[in-house]
Structure formats: structure tokens, C-alpha cells
């Protein structure tokens, strides 16, 4: 298949001032789709070239027109006031939403191509008519996905899993007991309950875009870091806490923070009330409040560098195996083939 792939972000490290978490796995997903025999056409702006000055045109196909395709995948974009809802060309405007609509109108509605909407941020409304289109499958990360959706988990690059050595990771010097790398978006309640009180008693660092921090004057917020620094920060820390917005917590939707920490040996303390917590991390790492977080950090400090520490990292790595990029790419391809096999129904039925 010749598959269009719509995303607003980067395949490389990109630029600092962007919330694009997809850099952790997007390029491996596209590579896996192509290794499986498909040809992927990237149909949004080439931001790697335009903004980061990295030319990938020799390795990937970019097309900002309406190329010939057999199917299309959207990393779903949603309205962001004063950014992608403004007039094209106005200050601060990004054209991801307008371009996505153009692609939907042409490929999904008019040509009725097999379409996957990968709702990676759970922003597609439950009653959106696209969910009813016979040529569309909605996918999200959640163990308990949205209406009519399938689960395509946040992909873990195979190479990261294959090269992570728990014994080497356990032996690394880790001067930072507690870290969080990620943006504030809708995480205040979880941060207030699990992280902030524990951070008051442990050396810590919070890296990312946190714009409203007045409630936590003693927390060490250090602002955004370059994408390449994410792994370095996790490799220096003993533990992090998986802080999830409510819309993620209740359905078992994990982000790249899970594998970004584990593959660097930074143990992810996991709120026990996350749906499916036992699927993501061993029960020894589950916490119910900040006191539990402190207790776990104290325990990890005590076992740091030992065989017990390495075994705990190994257990976390093993739980990541089902989320390998190669497996998630296979789910995407199977869904597209199922839609393509529906043939006549895609022509006779409308959205």
C-alpha cells in the first residue's frame, strides 16, 4: 500500500519550543510500516527541514499536495485557539488543522480511502461523525479505548528495548533521586497529590513547559529541555512518577514517558488508581500517595546498583515488550487491510 501519514511534528530532534512527544517513536513507526512493504508519503509540512534545517528528503517522501494514495493515517490534530484556528499567514498561525481538514475532505470523504485516525491525545469527541464512517477506524493508546476505537498503544522503539541492559543501567551513577520530564497539560492534580509533597523531601528536577507553578514555590522547575536531553535526564535519576491527566488515568492511556524512563533505568512509580496499572509496571512500583513515593525512593536508593535493582529494571522492560513499535505498526496495517477488504461498502455507504 501507498500510505499517507499526517503528523505535525518532527522525525528528528526538531526544535526546543515544541510539545511534540511523538519524536520518541514516530520515525520508527514510519520505518516499520515501510519495512513491512508499504510506501509512506508524509503529507504535512516538512518541519524537520523548514524549522530544524535537517533534510530528510533523500530518506522519506514528503508531499504537500494531494498525491496518489491507497490509505491514510492521521495523528489527530484538534483546534488550538490562537494557533491553528487563525487565518493562514497570520502571526503565530500553524496550518496543521487546515491541512488535516483538506486531507480528510479529499482522501477520507471524497475518495473514501481506508483511514485511521490515531487519536494519541484523546481529543476526538465521542460523538464525532468520523467515528461512524465505514472507511474509518479510530485508534487510541488506551487499554479501554473510546467508542468504536481500537487500541494501538504508544509504540516503544524496538531498538531501545533490544539494547537496554538492566545490569548496566542499574550500575549507572544516579545523583538525582526524583525527576519528571514532561509538560504541565492537565497534570496539576496528579502532581499535587504524588509529586510535589515527595519532591519537598528529595532532590529533584522538573523539566518541561510548566507555566502555572505558583502553588509549588519550592519545586525545582527548569523549563523545557532539548529532545536529546530527555534520555540523559532519565539516565541520571533513580525514579519518576507517571503523572497522567484524568482522561488518560481512567482508561489506561500511557504516554512515551513510560518507556522513555524505563529504557534509561529510571523506575516509573505508578499511581495505583491508573486503570491497568499492573499491565504497565510491577506492583512493587505502585503508589497511592506522596508518602508511598518517598518510601519507594528510599527503598530504591537502598538497593541501587544491586542485583535486586537490575531485576526490577528487567521486570519493567519485560512489561514493555507488547508495545514494541513493530507490533503496533502491524496493528495499524491490519486495520487498513481490513478496511480495504470491505471494498464495496466503502463506496455505497457515506459518513
Amino acid at each position: 500500500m501507498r500510505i499517507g501519514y499526517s503528523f505535525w511534528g518532527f522525525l528528528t530532534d526538531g526544535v526546543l519550543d515544541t510539545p511534540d512527544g511523538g519524536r520518541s517513536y514516530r520515525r520508527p513507526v514510519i520505518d516499520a510500516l515501510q519495512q513491512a512493504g508499504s510506501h509512506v508519503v508524509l503529507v504535512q509540512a516538512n518541519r524537520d527541514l523548514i524549522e530544524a534545517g535537517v533534510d530528510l528528503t533523500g530518506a522519506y517522501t514528503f508531499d504537500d499536495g494531494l498525491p496518489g494514495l491507497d490509505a491514510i493515517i492521521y495523528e489527530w490534530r484538534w483546534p488550538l485557539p490562537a494557533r491553528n484556528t487563525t487565518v493562514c499567514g497570520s502571526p503565530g498561525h500553524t496550518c496543521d488543522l487546515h491541512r488535516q481538514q483538506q486531507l480528510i475532505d479529499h482522501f477520507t470523504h471524497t475518495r473514501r480511502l481506508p483511514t485511521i485516525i490515531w487519536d494519541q491525545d484523546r481529543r476526538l469527541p465521542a460523538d464525532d461523525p468520523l467515528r461512524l464512517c465505514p472507511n474509518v477506524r479510530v485508534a487510541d493508546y488506551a487499554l479501554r479505548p473510546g467508542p468504536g476505537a481500537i487500541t494501538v498503544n504508544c509504540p516503544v522503539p524496538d531498538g531501545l528495548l533490544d539494547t537496554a541492559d538492566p545490569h548496566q543501567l542499574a550500575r549507572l551513577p544516579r545523583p538525582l533521586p526524583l525527576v519528571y520530564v514532561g509538560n504541565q497539560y492537565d497534570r496539576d492534580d496528579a502532581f499535587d497529590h504524588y509529586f510535589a509533597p515527595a519532591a519537598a523531601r528529595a532532590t529533584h528536577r522538573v523539566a518541561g513547559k510548566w507555566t502555572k507553578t505558583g502553588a509549588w514555590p519550592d519545586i525545582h522547575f527548569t523549563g523545557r529541555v532539548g529532545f536529546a536531553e530527555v534520555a540523559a535526564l532519565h539516565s541520571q535519576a533513580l525514579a519518576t512518577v507517571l503523572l497522567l491527566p484524568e482522561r488518560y488515568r481512567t482508561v489506561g492511556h500511557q504516554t512515551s514517558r513510560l518507556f522513555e524512563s524505563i529504557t534509561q533505568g529510571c523506575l516509573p512509580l505508578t499511581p495505583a488508581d491508573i486503570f491497568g496499572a499492573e499491565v504497565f509496571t510491577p506492583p512493587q512500583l505502585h503508589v497511592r500517595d506522596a508518602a508511598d513515593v518517598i518510601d519507594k525512593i528510599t527503598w530504591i536508593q537502598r538497593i541501587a546498583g544491586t542485583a535486586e535493582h537490575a531485576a526490577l529494571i528487567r521486570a519493567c522492560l519485560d512489561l514493555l515488550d507488547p508495545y514494541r513499535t513493530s507490533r503496533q505498526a502491524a496493528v495499524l496495517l491490519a486495520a487498513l487491510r481490513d478496511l480495504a477488504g470491505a471494498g464495496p461498502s466503502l463506496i455505497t455507504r457515506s459518513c
Side-chain angles (χ1 to χ4, degrees):
M1 285 188 289
R2 186 173 165 88
I3 301 172
Y5 195 97
S6 171
F7 71 93
W8 187 251
F10 299 91
L11 299 181
T12 61
D13 288 353
V15 297
L16 179 63
D17 188 23
T18 176
D20 179 29
R23 286 170 295 187
S24 295
Y25 52 80
R26 183 179 295 119
R27 191 171 184 176
V29 166
I30 292 168
D31 289 345
L33 292 172
Q34 299 206 123
Q35 287 162 8
S38 297
H39 180 73
V40 177
V41 182
L42 308 177
V43 291
Q44 287 269 6
N46 183 355
R47 295 180 68 195
D48 288 283
L49 181 61
I50 297 167
E51 298 178 44
V54 180
D55 189 355
L56 297 174
T57 54
Y60 299 96
T61 302
F62 295 85
D63 196 316
D64 59 3
L66 297 171
L69 300 174
D70 301 307
I72 190 164
I73 298 171
Y74 303 95
E75 289 187 11
W76 189 247
R77 303 300 299 166
W78 62 95
L80 296 168
R83 280 176 52 186
N84 59 14
T85 59
T86 53
V87 176
C88 294
S90 60
H93 176 77
T94 62
C95 217
D96 53 304
L97 193 64
H98 292 166
R99 174 60 170 166
Q100 179 176 268
Q101 190 60 55
Q102 180 190 32
L103 296 168
I104 288 172
D105 289 342
H106 180 74
F107 291 114
T108 301
H109 289 323
T110 301
R111 293 196 55 207
R112 297 185 187 174
L113 292 188
T115 296
I116 290 178
I117 293 175
W118 202 358
D119 189 16
Q120 298 171 343
D121 289 275
R122 296 186 63 78
R123 296 291 187 178
L124 184 70
D127 60 352
D128 193 292
L130 280 166
R131 293 186 184 272
L132 301 178
C133 292
N135 60 315
V136 173
R137 289 286 182 277
V138 177
D140 66 39
Y141 292 167
L143 299 178
R144 186 159 58 191
I150 61 172
T151 297
V152 180
N153 298 107
C154 184
V156 183
D158 291 54
L160 278 180
L161 277 181
D162 293 338
T163 58
D165 183 322
H167 295 283
Q168 289 182 0
L169 292 171
R171 288 194 293 266
L172 287 177
R174 296 184 181 272
L176 199 58
L178 183 62
V179 73
Y180 185 76
V181 185
N183 298 324
Q184 185 169 11
Y185 310 136
D186 302 322
R187 287 173 169 83
D188 288 30
D189 289 345
F191 188 83
D192 209 36
H193 185 71
Y194 294 101
F195 195 96
R201 298 176 53 189
T203 303
H204 65 277
R205 180 176 172 185
V206 178
K209 184 180 179 180
W210 289 71
T211 56
K212 298 178 181 178
T213 59
W216 311 292
D218 299 324
I219 300 299
H220 186 43
F221 294 99
T222 58
R224 277 182 166 160
V225 295
F227 179 69
E229 295 179 65
V230 173
L233 264 176
H234 283 127
S235 71
Q236 297 166 22
L238 279 173
T240 186
V241 182
L242 297 178
L243 304 176
L244 297 181
E246 186 71 2
R247 70 181 187 278
Y248 293 179
R249 182 190 66 79
T250 57
V251 295
H253 172 119
Q254 285 291 353
T255 72
S256 60
R257 302 293 171 247
L258 177 66
F259 75 77
E260 287 171 351
S261 59
I262 291 173
T263 54
Q264 298 301 320
C266 177
L267 292 171
L269 304 180
T270 306
D273 63 353
I274 291 175
F275 179 79
E278 70 283 353
V279 174
F280 300 115
T281 58
Q284 302 97 303
L285 297 179
H286 296 181
V287 295
R288 288 172 174 77
D289 52 30
D292 271 359
V293 173
I294 285 293
D295 288 345
K296 298 295 184 184
I297 291 172
T298 302
W299 166 56
I300 297 167
Q301 287 176 315
R302 188 167 63 248
I303 67 170
T306 68
E308 184 178 4
H309 189 199
L312 193 55
I313 296 171
R314 175 78 272 165
C316 290
L317 288 168
D318 287 345
L319 287 172
L320 286 181
D321 194 71
Y323 312 125
R324 285 177 174 269
T325 295
S326 53
R327 297 180 191 271
Q328 306 315 307
V331 175
L332 290 169
L333 285 171
L336 289 176
R337 290 183 182 121
D338 285 347
L339 290 168
S345 70
L346 306 190
I347 298 172
T348 59
R349 293 175 60 194
S350 60
C351 299

